[in-house]
Amino acid sequence: MSVTSTTTLSLSPHAHLSPPLPPMSILRRLNLHNHLNLRNRNRNRRLFRSLAAAAAVRQDTTVWTPAPLTEIEPAAESLFHVTIDVSDAPDLAVSHTRPGQYLQLRVPDVEKPSFLAIASPPSLSEARGAFEFLVKTVAGSTAELLCGLKKGDVVELSQVMGRGFDIDRVDPPESFHTLLIFATGSGISPIRSLIESGFSADKRSDVRLYYGARNLKRMAYQDRFKDWESSGVKIVPVLSQPDGNWTGESGYVQAAFTRAKQIYSPQSTGAVLCGQKQMTEEITSILVADGVSSEKILKNF
């Protein structure tokens, strides 16, 4: 009788075994996964190029009209009065139909445009073929380059844009006795266009312009205040950093208005706002809380 002996092999716990090779199905899935990732990356690149090209096409649809500067001079500290002759572009001139509209402006050799509100009334554009602007010079901006140009230099203008101030929403004047106007800094530019266009201020019992600036040196259009007041607009200058001789309103526009208030009938009150964002938001909140309809609070953007 024979006995078959069985030998058992014991492996040391420290013995090293090479991992088994993955089955071919796993390798195929890995290759497919890498292929899909590469295809997705290529697709994303193509999509990005397509979007960039589409954006370029959209930008190219802007019609740029060359026009010369006829006037450029200081209007206040850090502010310049700029006049541009558009008499050779009558279609552009007459497209300015409402105060508060704006356009884009490019200076030579600079692609990035600057957005500027038109300060002159539409009647000036039609009668004289000119646009006037109040430009704040900001370091490193297109506006700064514009303010460094001289009479006769040529810039490029886009078409006129924006809905402007829809003054029809606070007409007729007999129904809106109170019209409150608020502007800060260069935000007075489209407000000038509104006032000089006329909105029957003399037929309203209470038209006030709260105009905020750092100090009198920063306050443009002071030479026009007398004419504005003769048209029926009471001007309330508000200085945030006045000198020691100032006896008028100080602080911020919204605080000056809160101190005065005097809204006799919210239902017959309208407002026009242009300027610093915090001011426009706070004034809007104050007026709405007092019962003024948000539909009667006009902005140009």
Side-chain angles (χ1 to χ4, degrees), residues 170 173-180 204-206 208 257 261-271 287-293 296:
V170 290
E174 294 80 11
S175 299
F176 293 91
H177 307 293
T178 299
L179 188 64
L180 304 167
R204 306 174 195 263
S205 58
D206 180 19
R208 282 174 269 162
F257 172 64
K261 273 292 184 68
Q262 297 175 347
I263 297 180
Y264 302 109
S265 173
Q267 291 73 30
S268 62
T269 296
L287 293 174
V288 170
D290 283 346
V292 177
S293 169
K296 309 303 178 185

Side-chain angles (χ1 to χ4, degrees), residues 178 180-182 206 208-210 234-238 248-250 252-264 283 286-287 290:
T178 299
L180 304 167
I181 307 172
F182 302 88
D206 180 19
R208 282 174 269 162
L209 166 60
Y210 288 87
K234 179 184 178 182
I235 300 173
V236 184
V238 184
E249 290 286 347
S250 59
Y252 293 114
V253 163
Q254 49 270 46
F257 172 64
T258 301
R259 288 192 293 268
K261 273 292 184 68
Q262 297 175 347
I263 297 180
Y264 302 109
I283 289 292
I286 293 169
L287 293 174
D290 283 346

Side-chain angles (χ1 to χ4, degrees), residues 65-66 68 85-90 129:
T65 301
D85 180 6
V86 291
S87 59
D88 287 338

Side-chain angles (χ1 to χ4, degrees), residues 38-272:
L38 179 61
R39 190 169 67 179
N40 286 337
R41 285 197 296 270
N42 290 336
R43 184 178 62 186
N44 289 339
R45 291 193 188 101
R46 288 195 300 271
L47 178 61
F48 177 80
R49 287 195 293 266
S50 297
L51 291 174
V57 169
R58 285 196 299 271
Q59 185 170 349
D60 288 343
T61 61
T62 301
V63 177
W64 295 101
T65 301
L69 296 173
T70 57
E71 184 180 9
I72 180 163
E73 61 182 21
E77 190 176 281
S78 300
L79 294 169
F80 282 80
H81 180 75
V82 176
T83 304
I84 299 177
D85 180 6
V86 291
S87 59
D88 287 338
D91 289 345
L92 177 61
V94 299
S95 67
H96 181 211
T97 59
R98 183 181 282 178
Q101 290 181 300
Y102 57 95
L103 49 68
Q104 297 180 79
L105 181 147
R106 292 197 309 197
V107 300
D109 303 320
V110 178
E111 284 296 319
K112 186 177 181 181
S114 180
F115 285 84
L116 297 175
I118 303 173
S120 48
S123 58
L124 182 70
S125 307
E126 186 174 357
R128 283 181 41 201
F131 288 153
E132 295 181 355
F133 304 91
L134 181 67
V135 183
K136 181 179 181 180
T137 176
V138 178
S141 69
T142 300
E144 181 186 39
L145 297 174
L146 170 62
C147 295
L149 298 179
K150 60 185 183 299
K151 181 179 178 180
D153 286 341
V154 175
V155 296
E156 291 182 313
L157 304 178
S158 74
Q159 59 268 39
V160 174
M161 298 180 285
R163 65 177 183 267
F165 298 119
D166 187 2
I167 204 69
D168 290 341
R169 284 156 53 186
V170 290
D171 266 341
E174 294 80 11
S175 299
F176 293 91
H177 307 293
T178 299
L179 188 64
L180 304 167
I181 307 172
F182 302 88
T184 54
S186 59
I188 193 64
S189 176
I191 297 300
R192 175 204 152 189
S193 181
L194 173 67
I195 293 173
E196 296 183 5
S197 294
F199 53 89
S200 303
D202 57 344
K203 296 180 180 178
R204 306 174 195 263
S205 58
D206 180 19
V207 179
R208 282 174 269 162
L209 166 60
Y210 288 87
Y211 178 12
R214 181 178 298 178
N215 51 51
L216 287 177
K217 292 181 180 179
R218 294 285 187 101
M219 184 166 280
Y221 297 143
Q222 294 180 56
D223 58 329
R224 297 177 178 269
F225 285 1
K226 186 176 180 180
D227 290 338
W228 292 359
E229 292 200 314
S230 66
S231 71
V233 180
K234 179 184 178 182
I235 300 173
V236 184
V238 184
L239 305 183
S240 60
Q241 296 179 20
D243 61 28
N245 297 322
W246 178 248
T247 58
E249 290 286 347
S250 59
Y252 293 114
V253 163
Q254 49 270 46
F257 172 64
T258 301
R259 288 192 293 268
K261 273 292 184 68
Q262 297 175 347
I263 297 180
Y264 302 109
S265 173
Q267 291 73 30
S268 62
T269 296
V272 183

